[in-house]
Amino acid sequence: MNDTNYTPSVAYLGPEASFTHIAAAELFGHKGLTPRPTIPDCIEAVTEGHVAYAVVPLENALEGSVPLTIDYLFHGGELFITAEISTPIGQHLMVNKAQKDFTDQLESIQSHPHALAQCHKFLQYRYRKIPLIQTTSTAAAAKYISEQPALHIAAIGNRLAAETYGLHIVEENIHDFHFNHTRFVVLSLRKEILDHKNHAASKKTTLMVKLPEDDKAGMLHQILSVFSWRRLNLSKIESRPLKTGLGHYFFIIDVNESDGHPMMKGAMEELAALGCTARSFGSYYVYETDPSSK
């Protein structure tokens, strides 16, 4: 990213003007960006070597983690997180300009499942009886209604999507809570750190930890103690199903330290000694997008 003559190929959850597109453009500029229709398509594109990087959503402040991203990372190929970017999320209700005088006749509202959930209170209060249709991204919903001027349908998405697809914003900022941000991660086959302007002073490392087969009482406490006595601050710990049976989980752990730090190396060694399977997805800087882009 420091070489101005190099334009990496980057897959992102599209189409154009999705929140993921905004995040990808903030880090890489607009050249070399390739929209993909789904999160698995983005991840497979980088896993199979079709692109150098993939940008995908990982977690929303209101709706939590994106299970599809996490599950593909754990069960899929050997990928690394090389950067994280936090993007403010502003959700707006929009319609085709041909329908701006018929918003009282809406037959459906379309958007990504997380976007619909982020606007749950608004939709319950204002459009309780209107069917909600899930799409692969907010931009996909915006693009679709731009192509259907005769239909009484609306989309939920960002301001850039409304501008890109020539839509009329019926109501702005309809998300239920003010602090609405999404974490996006940059994935690569190589373990590297993307160094961009205005990065955070410290690095973050994401680990995935699986308990030993002979799971014993107090094992989770022991795992947390591995980091506690070393004064390694955890910014997140979350469980996800292993998909091998009820009650079988792995843990996602974010540590506010580089995985090259001596204490982190010691932590990984102790986890192995406890019989855990631990994998680092790499260390990376955290960035933020321009708030005006939402």
Side-chain angles (χ1 to χ4, degrees):
M1 292 175 64
N2 292 324
D3 185 354
T4 57
N5 296 319
Y6 171 62
T7 302
S9 53
V10 181
Y12 69 89
L13 177 61
E16 183 182 356
S18 65
F19 285 105
T20 317
H21 183 205
I22 293 172
E26 180 74 17
L27 284 176
F28 295 97
H30 292 278
K31 294 182 179 180
L33 302 186
T34 304
R36 301 281 172 149
T38 67
I39 290 172
D41 286 328
C42 293
I43 295 176
E44 288 173 6
V46 70
T47 300
E48 296 171 2
H50 300 306
V51 296
Y53 303 102
V55 181
V56 292
L58 182 68
E59 181 182 20
N60 176 260
L62 305 187
E63 289 305 305
S65 295
V66 180
L68 199 56
T69 299
I70 292 173
D71 289 347
Y72 261 77
L73 281 176
F74 184 83
H75 298 286
E78 294 290 314
L79 293 176
F80 295 95
I81 299 174
T82 62
E84 175 188 313
I85 185 162
S86 176
T87 300
I89 304 297
Q91 302 288 13
H92 314 301
L93 184 69
M94 56 192 73
V95 297
N96 192 295
K97 288 182 177 179
Q99 294 292 327
K100 66 180 182 179
D101 296 324
F102 303 97
T103 56
D104 58 340
Q105 302 177 29
L106 288 179
E107 297 174 357
S108 71
I109 298 175
Q110 306 189 11
S111 196
H112 187 274
H114 269 210
L116 295 172
Q118 290 162 25
C119 306
H120 172 73
K121 291 183 178 179
F122 170 85
L123 294 172
Q124 278 288 96
Y125 179 72
R126 296 286 297 275
Y127 297 97
R128 180 184 296 269
K129 297 182 180 180
I130 305 300
L132 305 179
I133 308 298
Q134 297 184 355
T135 59
T136 54
S137 71
T138 54
K143 185 175 185 295
Y144 177 74
I145 69 169
S146 74
E147 298 166 347
Q148 307 294 332
L151 298 183
H152 299 311
I153 54 179
I156 294 175
N158 61 52
R159 193 179 309 278
L160 178 61
E163 296 172 356
T164 300
Y165 298 107
L167 303 179
H168 171 71
I169 294 181
V170 179
E171 192 155 354
E172 298 182 340
N173 298 317
I174 63 172
H175 42 280
D176 296 332
F177 297 93
H178 175 69
F179 186 82
N180 190 15
H181 282 63
T182 293
R183 294 171 60 199
F184 297 89
V185 289
V186 180
L187 305 177
S188 173
L189 283 171
R190 298 185 300 171
K191 186 176 183 181
E192 58 179 316
I193 298 176
L194 295 184
D195 194 0
H196 187 53
K197 60 183 180 180
N198 300 324
H199 61 67
S202 60
K203 297 173 186 174
K204 181 190 290 186
T205 300
T206 294
L207 307 176
M208 290 197 182
V209 179
K210 186 172 71 170
L211 301 182
E213 297 294 334
D214 57 339
D215 185 12
K216 299 177 182 178
M219 180 56 70
L220 181 56
H221 173 74
Q222 285 184 279
I223 290 174
L224 295 177
S225 296
V226 166
F227 301 97
S228 176
W229 77 262
R230 290 181 171 86
R231 298 187 180 275
L232 294 170
N233 185 39
L234 306 185
S235 57
K236 174 180 178 178
I237 179 168
E238 178 183 352
S239 62
R240 284 291 301 159
L242 270 172
K243 304 185 187 298
T244 58
L246 288 174
H248 299 170
Y249 300 94
F250 67 89
F251 294 89
I252 308 143
I253 300 175
D254 286 345
V255 190
N256 293 336
E257 186 54 83
S258 167
D259 62 1
H261 191 280
M263 286 296 185
M264 280 291 288
K265 291 181 178 179
M268 296 296 282
E269 291 172 357
E270 186 172 349
L271 288 174
L274 290 171
C276 298
T277 302
R279 187 200 162 192
S280 169
F281 281 86
S283 300
Y284 48 89
Y285 290 125
V286 178
Y287 307 100
E288 294 186 0
T289 59
D290 181 355
S292 65
S293 62
K294 69 177 182 176

